[in-house]
Amino acid sequence: MSNEKSKTTLPVSKKEILQDYKLAVESREASLIGRKEVFMGKAKFGIFGDGKEVPQIAMAKYFQNGDWRSGYYRDQTFMMAIGQLNTQQFFAQLYAHTDVQADPASAGRMMNGHFATRYLNEKGEWLTQTDKKNSSADISPTAGQMPRLLGLAYASKLYRGNKDLREFEDFSINGNEVAFGTIGNASTSEGHFWETMNAAGVLQVPMVMSVWDDGYGISVPQKYHTVKESISEALSGFQKTKDKPGFEILTVKAWDYVALLDTYKKAVDISRKNHIPCLIHVIEVTQPQGHSTSGSHERYKPKERLAWEQEYDCILQMRKWMESEKIATREELDQLEKEAKQAAKQAKDQAWKEYIGEIKRDVEEALNLIDKAGISSAKKDQIQKITSELRKELNPEKSHLIRAAKKALRILKNENSTEKQALVSWLKDKSEIYARQYNSKLYSESADSALKIETIPAQYSENSELVDGREVLNACFDHLLKTDPRIFAFGEDVGKIGDVNQGFAGLQEKYGELKVTDTGIRETTIIGQGIGAAIRGLRPISEIQYLDYLLYAIQTLSDDLATLQYRTYGGQKAPLIIRTRGHRLEGVWHSGSPMGMILNSLRGMYVLTPRNMTQAAGFYNTLVNSDDPALVIESLNGYRLKERVPDNLTDFKLALGEPEILRAGNDATVVTYGSTCRVVMEAANQLANEGIEVEVIDAQTLIPFDRPQTIVKSLEKTNRLVVVDEDVEGGASAYILQQVLERDNGYFHLDSKPLTIAGKNHRPAYGSDGDYFSKPSVEDVFDKIYELISEANPHDYPPIY
């Protein structure tokens, strides 16, 4: 290190500056090597953080224990700088190594550049968050990290503002934690970004948002992305003033090390101390290798821009600055760079050795068993061809050996030998191992899993009060808010008026605005606010006012919340409860039943469809005692229907996946859920007048579905299946049929083809008649079930019309 005095006062020690530079070079080298590994066929895709090394190191200096990151897939240097990623782990993820020790973020499930820290232990229990630096798990959809970021920051506001939360020091120390967000300039065009920024400004939460601005979005220049070609200028109206709250907005150049340190220090200090959100617009960012391994930026960037990027590369500029400041000599920096590059290469070599070594051991096992099985076979030559092809694979994958084993066993299907049986046993065992590596952890497997909570039946007496359904819910929420300081509810109109159907009526006044809170009309960030808060140990109830409006937030639910436990291999969870209401049976936009969409896109969450408010209360009691995320769809037209209040309202629980038989019968099994339970029950009563006794089963929950196989047991006596569903034809009914007929082998008991009674393939028209002619009515259910029975017994049940 040079002994000469620097020209200016340095923000950090010379030793630390050199460490920063070495890390920047090592991270850059990892990006360069990573691209080559993809082109050599050793990895499938590569997206890297080259060009952002210096600003990310500056940001990392002010990231403290307890803080949270919600970023995007170019933050590798930041993760390295906070000590939550090393270069070997970086390459292990690139190779998709399924060992969680090799790739702690995801055990090979997320593509490279997708980072996460593990805040759960192997049992799925919470670890302390305040003694470590934390990163929520990344997702690829552009700006998809933004809604969750809001919740991570909002949690600090709750921990600081609610004195009853002070005891939860494993999650927060007086709300001092800052949520750091990162995004590329082009992705700021997404609605998620704007909605989150507005909400953060309204809520005044400790959030530091960094925009890495390299002037492009893949090939598209900035003029097509952002008004004024500058996100900081576009957001200038968000700037706080003397008399109006807002953001602090700062701009800094990506290659100016000293300015970056000053900027991040200022922003983080403001945000941490005063809970003021800050936007840092990092301009003049370069992207030396272009967007990803999918293409070359030489195709679309002019020569002048490419030349500028070479000159203003942040690492090159940092080196020039260090030399000018006499921090180190040219020779010392050359040696440091050599060591950093060698470290990156060694990390790559070790990561590949461990990754491919595990697979090659499996390959050798497979080859040995296939060879042995083929020795005594009459088709030995065909078997040898299979093993010869497998041996030629330069970079074998697990799928190669599974294919080889299965091909061999197909050839040997008519032969019997101990060697063949050994291969069969090996294939079975290995398939189970691979299933755990690739197909496990979709839901919680902890002791707090919702599936482990058993039903505590509702109890009634002569004193059980008869009230509006909404009052049952109100009493339930009152108890939950009173008994657990972590529980809070929020959404449009939830606060002052207690939601549009009065489920929270009077509870904001009773428990305060931090516990029962109004929000703006912003469904995506209502969900994100809940996800982030749930990640930080709170128990939020996010309300989406109507089921139709779930479409605004379906991307965040599907790509982020539903995949969280899976994509982190059980390393993260967010036990968020989402409350909504639907199935009103009237009007184009308050009547939607997009259940097929929900069921297909929300695997990883539970979907609960209570038929009344008492059942809903039982589910809420279950969910607050579990650690799985769930969507509860209440019946919109049931809030003012009378229900008896269970004497044990605060204690009774409903197990998930357990249908309830509402009416016994022998002629047909009718499966439905939610609001249509009332329609089906009325039709069943009318059918009984004609001598037809149907068994009505309320599925109650669609995910999970009928765990005790109640429906199949019913089919054993009725031999006919009818599914009644408000969704479009083939919507939720197709899912139910697959579960009953295929999963549970219900087809075996059928004497008639299964019947589905669904809504029309359009939204209901307005008015009572619009409902009647659009969704299943009592007459529709009666007529179609009557026709089903008439087909088998026309003598006793002749055609009516």
Side-chain angles (χ1 to χ4, degrees):
M1 185 185 298
S2 172
N3 292 320
E4 295 187 45
K5 198 169 184 179
S6 63
K7 299 175 182 178
T8 58
T9 301
L10 299 176
V12 291
S13 69
K14 288 185 177 182
K15 181 180 179 181
E16 190 172 345
I17 293 168
L18 289 171
Q19 289 173 340
D20 290 348
Y21 184 70
K22 186 175 183 180
L23 175 59
V25 173
E26 183 173 341
S27 180
R28 173 67 60 83
E29 189 67 12
S31 297
L32 297 173
I33 294 173
R35 186 179 182 88
K36 293 176 183 176
E37 293 295 278
V38 173
F39 291 152
M40 289 173 64
K42 293 165 71 177
K44 296 301 179 184
F45 178 76
I47 194 159
F48 307 106
D50 47 307
K52 301 166 183 66
E53 295 89 353
V54 175
Q56 289 184 12
I57 287 171
M59 178 171 67
K61 289 191 180 300
Y62 306 102
F63 191 91
Q64 297 180 3
N65 285 348
D67 286 347
W68 279 90
R69 167 190 170 273
S70 183
Y72 83 142
Y73 38 73
R74 298 190 190 276
D75 288 347
Q76 71 199 47
T77 311
F78 174 79
M79 293 298 293
M80 292 173 178
I82 65 171
Q84 296 300 320
L85 176 74
N86 62 46
T87 312
Q88 185 172 326
Q89 291 168 342
F90 169 86
F91 283 108
Q93 189 179 60
L94 182 68
Y95 302 137
H97 196 163
T98 54
D99 185 342
V100 72
Q101 301 302 318
D103 172 21
S106 70
R109 293 183 174 182
M110 294 192 287
M111 74 171 70
N112 85 294
H114 290 64
F115 307 113
T117 54
R118 305 189 75 76
Y119 56 77
L120 304 178
N121 64 19
E122 292 180 354
K123 296 180 180 179
E125 300 166 334
W126 296 105
L127 297 171
T128 300
Q129 296 177 359
T130 49
D131 64 357
K132 63 178 66 69
K133 297 175 173 65
N134 306 287
S135 175
S136 58
D138 294 342
I139 59 175
S140 285
T142 53
Q145 71 274 27
M146 294 297 300
R148 173 191 350 123
L149 172 66
L150 177 68
L152 293 169
Y154 184 66
S156 288
K157 179 172 182 170
L158 295 180
Y159 279 118
R160 180 172 290 184
N162 184 350
K163 63 179 182 356
D164 294 331
L165 294 173
R166 300 284 167 81
E167 65 181 284
F168 297 98
E169 292 187 348
D170 284 350
F171 296 99
S172 177
I173 307 296
N174 194 37
N176 292 331
E177 302 77 26
V178 174
F180 288 68
T182 64
I183 196 169
N185 58 288
S187 295
T188 63
S189 298
E190 294 278 15
H192 288 3
F193 175 83
W194 289 89
E195 187 175 316
T196 299
M197 298 301 284
N198 178 64
V202 169
L203 293 171
Q204 289 292 283
V205 291
M207 184 178 97
V208 174
M209 185 70 226
S210 296
V211 179
W212 313 133
D213 190 344
D214 66 0
Y216 285 82
I218 306 185
S219 66
V220 180
Q222 187 77 326
K223 66 180 181 179
Y224 294 108
H225 289 293
T226 309
V227 63
K228 300 182 180 180
E229 299 188 39
S230 168
I231 193 62
S232 54
E233 290 186 40
L235 287 172
S236 59
F238 283 41
Q239 175 69 54
K240 69 182 292 291
T241 62
K242 275 187 176 182
D243 55 347
K244 290 186 178 180
F247 275 71
E248 285 290 356
I249 300 177
L250 304 96
T251 302
V252 64
K253 294 176 180 177
W255 48 265
D256 191 335
Y257 177 75
V258 174
L260 285 161
L261 293 175
D262 290 342
T263 300
Y264 274 101
K265 184 180 188 307
K266 177 181 178 182
V268 175
D269 284 349
I270 291 170
S271 194
R272 195 180 305 282
K273 180 180 179 181
N274 301 315
H275 278 199
I276 295 171
C278 297
L279 173 77
I280 300 178
H281 186 192
V282 184
I283 61 174
E284 298 191 12
V285 177
T286 66
Q287 200 155 274
Q289 296 187 111
H291 176 265
S292 68
T293 54
S294 294
S296 169
H297 61 160
E298 286 83 2
R299 291 183 302 158
Y300 53 83
K301 288 180 181 176
K303 291 180 180 179
E304 296 78 12
R305 170 71 189 196
L306 292 169
W308 179 89
E309 289 196 11
Q310 284 190 328
E311 182 180 356
Y312 281 89
D313 182 285
C314 63
I315 294 178
L316 177 60
Q317 288 292 321
M318 184 176 179
R319 174 168 176 148
K320 288 180 177 180
W321 171 77
M322 286 190 295
E323 290 180 5
S324 70
E325 291 292 331
K326 309 298 183 185
I327 291 168
T329 65
R330 180 173 300 179
E331 292 74 20
E332 288 170 337
L333 292 174
D334 288 344
Q335 179 61 29
L336 187 148
E337 289 183 7
K338 181 179 178 181
E339 292 171 1
K341 292 177 181 179
Q342 184 62 28
K345 182 180 182 302
Q346 289 174 350
K348 180 266 295 182
D349 291 342
Q350 187 62 29
W352 177 253
K353 179 181 178 182
E354 293 182 9
Y355 164 75
I356 202 63
E358 178 184 307
I359 294 178
K360 284 187 173 180
R361 286 191 292 273
D362 287 353
V363 170
E364 288 304 315
E365 285 181 7
L367 287 169
N368 182 49
L369 290 167
I370 296 171
D371 282 336
K372 287 181 178 178
I375 289 175
S376 59
S377 172
K379 299 178 179 179
K380 180 178 179 181
D381 291 345
Q382 294 181 50
I383 298 295
Q384 286 180 339
K385 184 178 179 182
I386 292 172
T387 56
S388 176
E389 290 176 353
L390 183 55
R391 286 188 170 94
K392 289 177 182 177
E393 291 288 350
L394 293 176
N395 300 317
E397 299 175 358
K398 296 168 187 175
S399 58
H400 292 144
L401 59 97
I402 294 295
R403 289 191 186 109
K406 289 189 172 182
K407 284 181 181 178
L409 289 170
R410 290 172 193 165
I411 292 170
L412 298 170
K413 64 180 181 293
N414 294 320
E415 301 180 19
N416 288 306
S417 67
T418 56
E419 291 80 9
K420 174 189 171 183
Q421 288 307 311
L423 178 58
V424 170
S425 296
W426 176 89
L427 178 62
K428 181 180 178 181
D429 292 343
K430 196 57 64 176
S431 295
E432 289 177 356
I433 291 171
Y434 291 164
R436 287 197 296 273
Q437 292 176 350
Y438 295 101
N439 311 126
S440 62
K441 311 284 188 181
L442 182 59
Y443 295 94
S444 171
E445 298 174 10
S446 77
D448 294 325
S449 165
L451 299 186
K452 295 180 180 178
I453 296 178
E454 298 180 354
T455 293
I456 298 177
Q459 298 174 358
Y460 298 93
S461 67
E462 293 179 356
N463 298 321
S464 299
E465 190 177 2
L466 188 66
V467 300
D468 288 350
R470 62 183 175 82
E471 296 179 71
V472 177
L473 274 181
N474 188 267
C476 173
F477 291 140
D478 187 2
H479 174 74
L480 295 178
L481 290 165
K482 178 174 61 179
T483 54
D484 191 338
R486 300 171 302 161
I487 294 175
F488 66 101
F490 60 100
E492 300 162 21
D493 297 303
V494 168
K496 189 173 182 62
I497 68 169
D499 89 45
V500 291
N501 295 100
Q502 302 292 281
F504 284 95
L507 298 185
Q508 184 185 76
E509 185 177 357
K510 187 173 184 179
Y511 294 105
E513 194 171 346
L514 290 177
K515 292 277 281 182
V516 184
T517 308
D518 283 314
T519 71
I521 300 175
R522 49 175 182 83
E523 285 78 12
T524 301
T525 48
I526 288 173
I527 295 300
Q529 196 170 331
I531 294 172
I535 285 173
R536 294 193 58 192
L538 298 172
R539 295 310 313 266
I541 301 174
S542 296
E543 178 167 314
I544 300 298
Q545 197 163 87
Y546 296 111
L547 181 60
D548 306 69
Y549 300 166
L550 201 71
L551 273 72
Y552 284 98
I554 200 70
Q555 184 273 325
T556 297
L557 287 167
S558 181
D559 289 332
D560 197 353
L561 182 58
T563 68
L564 182 58
Q565 294 211 46
Y566 173 80
R567 73 180 188 267
T568 60
Y569 193 69
Q572 298 192 356
K573 63 182 176 183
L576 171 63
I577 299 170
I578 297 128
R579 176 186 183 228
T580 189
R581 53 191 66 82
H583 305 141
R584 183 176 179 174
L585 305 174
E586 186 172 312
V588 173
W589 285 287
H590 286 338
S591 60
S593 302
M595 300 305 298
M597 176 198 72
I598 289 168
L599 292 170
N600 289 325
S601 60
L602 299 189
R603 304 298 169 95
M605 296 175 57
Y606 292 129
V607 178
L608 285 53
T609 51
R611 66 181 179 273
N612 59 34
M613 304 311 148
T614 302
Q615 301 301 97
F619 284 137
Y620 287 123
N621 288 339
T622 294
L623 292 174
V624 296
N625 287 284
S626 74
D627 64 354
D628 283 291
L631 172 68
V632 182
I633 304 170
E634 298 167 11
S635 298
L636 181 53
N637 55 2
Y639 292 105
R640 296 189 181 277
L641 298 179
K642 297 298 182 181
E643 298 182 31
R644 295 172 68 204
V645 182
D647 296 341
N648 61 338
L649 177 65
T650 60
D651 300 315
F652 100 95
K653 299 178 179 67
L654 292 178
L656 305 193
E658 292 189 4
E660 183 177 348
I661 298 175
L662 303 183
R663 190 184 197 281
N666 295 306
D667 294 321
T669 298
V670 185
V671 180
T672 190
Y673 61 90
S675 294
T676 46
C677 286
R678 292 192 294 275
V679 173
V680 170
M681 285 295 286
E682 175 57 30
N685 291 335
Q686 293 182 16
L687 286 164
N689 294 333
E690 301 293 328
I692 298 172
E693 297 290 343
V694 297
E695 186 145 290
V696 179
I697 299 179
D698 176 10
Q700 299 213 92
T701 69
L702 297 181
I703 302 177
F705 185 82
D706 193 7
R707 297 166 65 206
Q709 299 189 347
T710 301
I711 296 168
V712 168
K713 292 171 186 174
S714 174
L715 286 179
E716 290 177 2
K717 65 175 179 177
T718 69
N719 306 117
R720 294 181 179 85
L721 175 63
V722 180
V723 177
V724 181
D725 174 27
E726 287 186 27
D727 201 354
V728 297
E729 295 170 352
S733 56
Y735 165 80
I736 292 172
L737 290 176
Q738 185 273 331
Q739 296 281 289
V740 175
L741 301 182
E742 181 184 349
R743 186 196 71 177
D744 297 340
N745 295 317
Y747 75 94
F748 185 79
H749 305 290
L750 294 184
D751 289 341
S752 302
K753 74 175 183 179
L755 170 66
T756 61
I757 304 173
K760 298 295 189 293
N761 293 326
H762 54 75
R763 302 283 182 91
Y766 176 62
S768 298
D769 280 345
D771 157 40
Y772 185 84
F773 292 104
S774 301
K775 292 288 184 82
S777 66
V778 172
E779 287 71 29
D780 290 333
V781 176
F782 176 97
D783 289 347
K784 291 189 178 183
I785 293 177
Y786 184 92
E787 289 171 9
L788 179 70
I789 303 301
S790 174
E791 181 183 34
N793 187 359
H795 180 268
D796 291 341
Y797 303 101
I800 296 176
Y801 309 114

